Amino acid sequence: MANPASTSETIATNYDVFLSFRGEDTRHGFTGHLYDALCRNGINTFIDDENLRTGETIRPQLLHSIEASKISIIVFSTNYAASTWCLDELVQILRCHRERNQLVFPVFYKVEPSDVRHRRNTYKEAMDAHEIRFGCHSQKVKEWKEALAETSNRKGFHLKQGYEFKFIQEIVGKALTHIPPRQLLIEDHMVGLQTRVVEVKSHLYSWHRRLSSSESPKTKFYNNNTMLGIVGIGGSGKTTLAKALYNSICDQFECACFLFNIRKISDQEEGLVLLQKMLLSELLGEEKIKVRSVEKGITMIKETKRLLFLTMLIRQNN
């Protein structure tokens, strides 16, 4: 499993996902596996350190980490509501949802959503204990009850029993659809770069519209695939232009990949297979992709339903 996120007093990192969970229930099982799957798919995920939760009050770095995340995944397990830390996290998550449009994914892990919503079984026991401790009319308990009800009314993921791996993949897949591809680093202050990007995008969209509106069955077969060639002498900025174009449109795709040094790699032994592995690994978020031949790689790419990408061919004139 990947190393947990840093838990220093000052949290400067922006996260894709914040995991809220009851450590004693799921840290070394379901939530641990979910965290590992998110990280393997390139999703920057915050999970607290086991030794972080000391004392009665939720520490500021956890609150900052929630604020700095795009998505919060809440793992409602049997004893989630028994933890005041978890309930405080839940209140903060919903506050960020209202104020920052943060996405919230409830996960009901071997508990019924109705038990969370109506505070039944272990959730009733936990809230009864909190009422005795803090007072049944305390503002804190009221906020916790409202947060449980509001979150459990949201559409989420529910696992009663069965194969957890498939369940985890569904959650990861949903998270991926809300996280744009990473942008490429480009040198600052490139004179005239944006003007060129606008011009190239204009040609790209114009060509794509012609393909999409064509009546030719052969053309319609390819109407979701567009190849763009950027031609020029060495050092004229072809790669920089391609990277800037990629950055300007990659967030419109579910997946995106920019492969470097294609000519050099393809000239190697099994170079085309290596490129296919790199492409599939980048887009599927899996490190160990097995491609036994170029033909097999082509089939795998075609059969990948969630594969949406733009191929940019850069050629140098001699």
Side-chain angles (χ1 to χ4, degrees):
M1 185 185 300
N3 291 329
S6 171
T7 55
S8 60
E9 288 297 328
T10 302
I11 300 291
T13 306
N14 288 326
Y15 296 97
D16 295 319
V17 168
F18 178 91
L19 286 175
S20 177
F21 63 100
R22 173 68 162 158
E24 295 177 10
D25 285 0
T26 65
R27 180 184 297 276
H28 300 295
F30 173 77
T31 300
H33 298 314
L34 173 59
Y35 172 72
D36 183 51
L38 289 165
C39 291
R40 283 189 289 105
N41 279 271
I43 299 174
N44 187 17
T45 305
F46 181 91
I47 185 171
D48 68 340
D49 186 273
E50 273 189 282
N51 299 320
L52 178 63
R53 302 197 174 206
T54 57
E56 294 293 329
T57 306
I58 188 170
R59 296 177 69 175
Q61 60 263 46
L62 276 182
L63 298 178
H64 295 328
S65 297
I66 295 172
E67 293 175 356
S69 301
K70 299 181 182 70
I71 302 169
S72 280
I73 297 178
I74 306 156
V75 181
F76 287 114
S77 56
T78 303
N79 298 305
Y80 181 90
S83 168
T84 58
W85 279 73
C86 289
L87 294 173
D88 283 341
E89 284 179 2
L90 186 61
V91 171
Q92 175 72 354
I93 286 168
L94 292 179
R95 183 177 296 118
C96 289
H97 169 67
R98 290 189 294 268
E99 298 175 359
R100 300 169 178 261
N101 294 319
Q102 185 186 91
L103 298 175
V104 178
F105 294 174
V107 176
F108 302 96
Y109 180 71
K110 297 184 179 180
V111 297
E112 292 297 323
S114 58
D115 285 353
V116 180
R117 184 179 308 116
H118 301 296
R119 300 186 299 280
R120 295 194 294 235
N121 296 320
T122 57
Y123 279 76
K124 181 181 186 304
E125 295 171 6
M127 296 313 296
D128 286 348
H130 294 322
E131 287 183 349
I132 293 173
R133 180 181 179 187
F134 297 102
C136 58
H137 299 296
S138 72
Q139 182 63 28
K140 182 182 290 288
V141 172
K142 180 182 177 182
E143 288 180 344
W144 290 342
K145 290 180 179 179
E146 291 175 348
L148 288 171
E150 180 179 343
T151 314
S152 59
N153 275 319
R154 302 181 63 86
K155 184 177 180 180
F157 301 87
H158 185 196
L159 178 69
K160 296 181 180 180
Q161 57 184 6
Y163 196 27
E164 290 189 5
F165 174 78
K166 184 177 180 181
F167 184 66
I168 287 174
Q169 289 303 109
E170 291 178 2
I171 300 171
V172 173
K174 179 69 176 297
L176 282 170
T177 63
H178 293 280
I179 298 172
R182 305 284 187 243
Q183 294 208 339
L184 303 171
L185 180 63
I186 299 176
E187 294 181 21
D188 295 333
H189 311 300
M190 298 292 291
V191 178
L193 179 60
Q194 290 307 314
T195 301
R196 292 184 180 182
V197 170
V198 171
E199 182 180 356
V200 174
K201 284 175 67 175
S202 176
H203 289 300
L204 177 63
Y205 292 152
S206 176
W207 176 244
H208 185 72
R209 283 195 297 269
R210 286 202 298 271
L211 289 177
S212 299
S213 61
S214 172
E215 295 298 326
S216 168
K218 183 177 180 180
T219 305
K220 282 187 175 182
F221 179 79
Y222 292 101
N223 67 354
N224 287 320
N225 298 272
T226 302
M227 180 172 288
L228 170 68
I230 302 177
V231 183
I233 63 174
S236 60
K238 300 183 302 298
T239 301
T240 300
L241 176 58
K243 289 164 66 176
L245 177 62
Y246 173 93
N247 286 347
S248 71
I249 64 176
C250 65
D251 61 352
Q252 300 175 33
F253 293 82
E254 184 178 344
C255 305
C257 176
F258 193 103
L259 295 178
F260 292 89
N261 302 319
I262 291 178
R263 175 184 294 178
K264 181 178 179 180
I265 296 174
S266 63
D267 286 342
Q268 301 175 9
E269 185 178 356
E270 299 293 326
L272 291 178
V273 171
L274 178 58
L275 286 169
Q276 290 173 330
K277 288 181 179 179
M278 292 167 62
L279 176 65
L280 289 166
S281 177
E282 182 76 16
L283 294 169
L284 299 178
E286 299 178 13
E287 294 182 3
K288 298 181 179 179
I289 299 290
K290 294 183 179 180
V291 180
R292 304 188 184 280
S293 66
V294 173
E295 291 74 18
K296 179 66 175 178
I298 293 172
T299 301
M300 292 173 66
I301 292 171
K302 286 183 176 180
E303 291 179 350
T304 304
K305 295 181 180 179
R306 60 187 290 270
L307 197 61
L308 300 171
F309 62 95
L310 176 71
T311 300
M312 285 181 275
L313 173 65
I314 305 174
R315 191 181 75 205
Q316 177 177 320
N317 283 350
N318 296 322

